[in-house]
Amino acid sequence: MRKAVPLHLLAAFFVVFTVFSVVNADDPYKYYTWTVTYGAISPLGVSQQAILINGQFPGPKLEVVTNDNIVLNLINKLDQPFLLTWNGIKQRKNSWQDGVLGTNCPIPPNSNYTYKLQAKDQIGTFTYFPSTLLHKAAGGYGVLNIYQRPRIPIPFPSPDGDFSLLVGDWYKSSHMTLQEALDSGKSLPAPDGVLINGQTHSTFSGDQGKTYMFRISNVGLSTSLNFRIQGHTMKLVEVEGSHTIQNIYDSLDVHVGQSIAVLVTLNQPPKDYYIVASTRFSKQVLTATAVLHYTGSQTPVSGPLPAAPTGLLHWSMRQARTFRWNLTANAARPNPQGSFHYGKITTTKTIVLANSAPLINGKKRYAVNRVSYVNSDTPLKLADHFNIPGVFSMNSIQSLPSDGPAYVATSVIPTFLHDFIEVVFQNTEFAMQSWHLDGYDFWVVGYGSGQWSPAKRRTYNLVDATTRHTAQVYPNSWTTILVSLDNQGMWNLRSAIWERQYLGQQLYLRVWTSQQSLANEYDIPSNALLCGKAAGRRV
């Protein structure tokens, strides 16, 4: 626990803070009230119960500017506890607001919680979605775009328009039915369709000769998607807050949990053109279409849909390697002052995480290094703050794979503030994986087939690898990321494929320092919900 601040010092700090707040007008506050309810929708022609936010599916678009402070009162009118997480928002020094069960008590039915977070030093395309149970299968997700402040130029002319596309697989079955299947030890069935912004058909309009930004986010549960526009190429300019070398693509693979932004110039004869998102690496190809409409066009879409890539895993991996960081971009990003280059830092720790799909007590689970994660009734962050023993273990999971039976635990890997770590995701299954780390973005330095070994480091991109928050791992392959642990807190490292996350393919990184101060981490919020063994404690 931190020592109390003397009252005379606290008063002096308040005066200074007040003056600073008035002068520092670049960081405004934006206030929102969102109410979460159930509602009936029929995106695939069958009426089903969805999760709505302020009556909307998808939820309201959250658009802010770099360094804006967001104060969002979330009212839960569901019959189950609920949380939203802010996918890709770094939550600088503030894992208290991360919105996952390791950091926050879920919001009880007919109750509320006010998130207080800042879009600190970020620009780009992000999303929010429910982190509790199988709620994501019922909706509750939405767009979260962070725009640059005027003083921060972006490395391309401002587009003439900005379209956000939430693309993902969808089930006709309710989220409760899907959860019951997982709880009984069954896998989820194949999805029933693909939606774009909650629909199977939608239209995006623009003028001939103008250039528009398309922000594409895969908000599905399980399936990689390929995105393309009939008769048009796409210039990739941003990946999850990282401005990229502006390569041109006919189509782009977007994996579960990922977001990209492309520029599209309407340089074709004025008519309507297909926008297509189709599943990748699945037995049955599911497709959603939308329309790119040239203003004034009277010619409807026609002809065959633009074809998906004929190449599969190796094609996709080769494309992923072409995503490169724009090192000359003057924009919010990791290490904006250029004080270090990631490729020249010696790593302090290597963590190799191997996924598996074992049976535990006769039921299917998913595991990492033989450990299948189980949520505690007490958020790990609260247990750490209040020094409550027995909630989680920092010895239950090893940093390297080992042989032996799988088991369940509330697993945490200990790390230290300012460590620079190498994390290798080893996929020994013939299924696509997707991994996300809260609180950070990271450099994706390598993809490869087969088994990772230290010799594979010779293949790493240590010059201009992109930073992002979610990295795909191809079947029977590996992916390596480098992470600068500059954000103290308790951070969720999880599969973005929700069945795997729900059944144990996740863990937490405890980023800690003995020098506890407000310079490293904010205090527990005064409105923090307390539950489990933390119930009744004084904030």
Side-chain angles (χ1 to χ4, degrees):
M1 301 293 288
R2 297 187 179 105
K3 295 181 179 178
V5 179
L7 288 177
H8 69 283
L9 293 179
L10 189 61
F13 171 79
F14 179 78
V15 172
V16 172
F17 177 77
T18 302
V19 173
F20 178 79
S21 298
V22 172
V23 173
N24 189 20
D26 285 342
D27 298 345
Y29 281 77
K30 294 189 174 179
Y31 297 88
Y32 305 88
T33 297
W34 287 1
T35 302
V36 182
T37 61
Y38 289 124
I41 61 172
S42 305
L44 296 179
V46 175
S47 181
Q48 58 188 124
Q49 185 186 68
I51 291 176
L52 312 180
I53 300 179
N54 288 357
Q56 301 176 42
F57 168 72
K61 184 182 293 186
L62 190 58
E63 295 186 301
V64 298
V65 173
T66 299
N67 289 358
D68 278 358
N69 293 282
I70 300 166
V71 181
L72 191 150
N73 181 27
L74 190 69
I75 303 168
N76 178 19
K77 292 294 185 179
L78 305 184
D79 55 1
Q80 294 179 316
F82 183 81
L83 280 174
L84 286 180
T85 189
W86 315 95
N87 202 44
I89 304 306
K90 293 182 186 176
Q91 306 284 8
R92 298 293 303 171
K93 305 189 294 183
N94 199 20
S95 63
W96 304 107
Q97 306 292 343
D98 198 25
V100 291
L101 291 173
T103 57
N104 295 87
C105 297
I107 305 167
N110 296 310
S111 186
N112 75 297
Y113 176 73
T114 300
Y115 290 91
K116 299 176 183 179
L117 54 123
Q118 187 179 26
K120 180 69 174 172
D121 294 336
Q122 290 184 269
I123 297 170
T125 304
F126 307 96
T127 59
Y128 63 85
F129 58 77
S131 64
T132 39
L133 302 175
L134 264 288
H135 289 144
K136 189 182 181 187
Y141 53 70
V143 168
L144 202 175
N145 292 336
I146 305 176
Y147 295 90
Q148 75 282 2
R149 293 186 290 174
R151 67 184 61 180
I152 303 177
I154 53 177
F156 48 84
S158 295
D160 297 296
D162 194 313
F163 304 123
S164 295
L165 286 76
L166 298 171
V167 186
D169 53 27
W170 189 257
Y171 290 84
K172 294 178 181 178
S173 300
S174 72
H175 70 283
M176 292 297 295
T177 299
L178 297 177
Q179 182 182 328
E180 289 169 2
L182 295 182
D183 289 341
S184 69
K186 300 176 183 177
S187 288
L188 293 183
D192 297 302
V194 174
L195 303 182
I196 299 177
N197 289 349
Q199 305 174 61
T200 54
H201 301 285
S202 52
T203 299
F204 303 89
S205 298
D207 299 332
Q208 186 182 34
K210 292 185 177 180
T211 298
Y212 297 85
M213 176 174 281
F214 284 75
R215 302 174 183 268
I216 305 111
S217 298
N218 187 334
V219 293
L221 293 186
S222 63
T223 315
S224 298
L225 297 167
N226 182 266
F227 183 85
R228 51 204 185 271
I229 302 176
Q230 183 183 29
H232 295 74
T233 58
M234 299 175 288
K235 180 186 291 185
L236 183 69
V237 294
E238 180 239 328
V239 171
E240 295 159 17
S242 177
H243 286 135
T244 62
I245 299 296
Q246 295 173 15
N247 294 326
I248 305 297
Y249 299 89
D250 293 319
S251 71
L252 284 160
D253 282 350
V254 186
H255 305 279
V256 180
Q258 295 184 343
S259 297
I260 62 171
V262 298
L263 295 179
V264 178
T265 299
L266 274 57
N267 55 9
Q268 298 300 305
K271 53 169 287 191
D272 291 355
Y273 296 86
Y274 284 114
I275 297 172
V276 178
S278 61
T279 58
R280 292 278 273 161
F281 323 123
S282 57
K283 291 182 179 179
Q284 180 185 5
V285 176
L286 301 172
T287 301
T289 61
V291 172
L292 174 58
H293 171 74
Y294 278 55
T295 304
S297 164
Q298 301 298 319
T299 307
V301 289
S302 62
L305 298 181
T310 55
L312 294 175
L313 297 173
H314 292 296
W315 183 97
S316 185
M317 189 184 293
R318 285 196 303 271
Q319 182 182 84
R321 291 189 183 121
T322 68
F323 293 4
R324 312 300 277 264
W325 202 16
N326 186 340
L327 299 179
T328 65
N330 181 20
R333 61 180 188 179
N335 182 31
Q337 290 78 33
S339 57
F340 67 84
H341 186 281
Y342 76 94
K344 298 181 179 179
I345 301 176
T346 302
T347 55
T348 55
K349 186 173 188 176
T350 294
I351 300 171
V352 180
L353 300 175
N355 57 272
S356 59
L359 290 177
I360 299 179
N361 297 326
K363 291 185 178 181
K364 185 171 187 176
R365 298 280 302 181
Y366 294 99
V368 187
N369 288 2
R370 298 194 294 121
V371 182
S372 185
Y373 184 90
V374 289
N375 283 303
S376 168
D377 291 337
T378 307
L380 316 188
K381 184 63 183 170
L382 293 182
D384 204 24
H385 176 75
F386 290 117
N387 296 314
I388 301 172
V391 172
F392 63 88
S393 169
M394 291 192 288
N395 299 313
S396 59
I397 186 169
Q398 303 302 309
S399 296
L400 298 174
S402 60
D403 295 329
Y407 53 96
V408 297
T410 305
S411 45
V412 174
I413 291 181
T415 60
F416 293 99
L417 187 65
H418 304 307
D419 276 357
F420 191 80
I421 65 171
E422 174 188 40
V423 181
V424 180
F425 299 107
Q426 179 68 64
N427 183 7
T428 58
E429 300 178 61
F430 194 72
M432 178 67 74
Q433 306 290 312
S434 186
W435 280 91
H436 169 84
L437 175 59
D438 280 353
Y440 289 91
D441 48 16
F442 45 70
W443 290 272
V444 187
V445 295
Y447 303 94
S449 300
Q451 192 77 20
W452 179 86
S453 68
K456 302 295 185 181
R457 292 178 177 135
R458 294 195 294 266
T459 70
Y460 288 179
N461 176 4
L462 298 180
V463 178
D464 59 356
T466 55
T467 58
R468 61 189 317 163
H469 57 68
T470 303
Q472 72 273 22
V473 192
Y474 295 94
N476 295 315
S477 300
W478 55 269
T479 296
T480 297
I481 66 174
L482 298 179
V483 192
S484 177
L485 297 181
D486 61 353
N487 196 11
Q488 184 175 329
M490 188 76 73
W491 301 108
N492 191 212
L493 178 60
R494 63 176 177 267
S495 174
I497 297 172
W498 213 248
E499 171 180 334
R500 291 178 170 270
Q501 179 274 152
Y502 181 77
L503 291 180
Q505 194 170 301
Q506 61 171 311
L507 56 95
Y508 281 78
L509 293 182
R510 180 184 187 247
V511 182
W512 185 82
T513 176
S514 60
Q515 303 300 316
Q516 297 293 301
S517 73
L518 292 176
N520 293 328
E521 185 176 30
Y522 299 142
D523 276 329
I524 183 172
S526 60
N527 68 329
L529 300 175
L530 301 179
C531 55
K533 294 181 179 179
R537 302 280 179 137
R538 177 177 293 180
V539 174

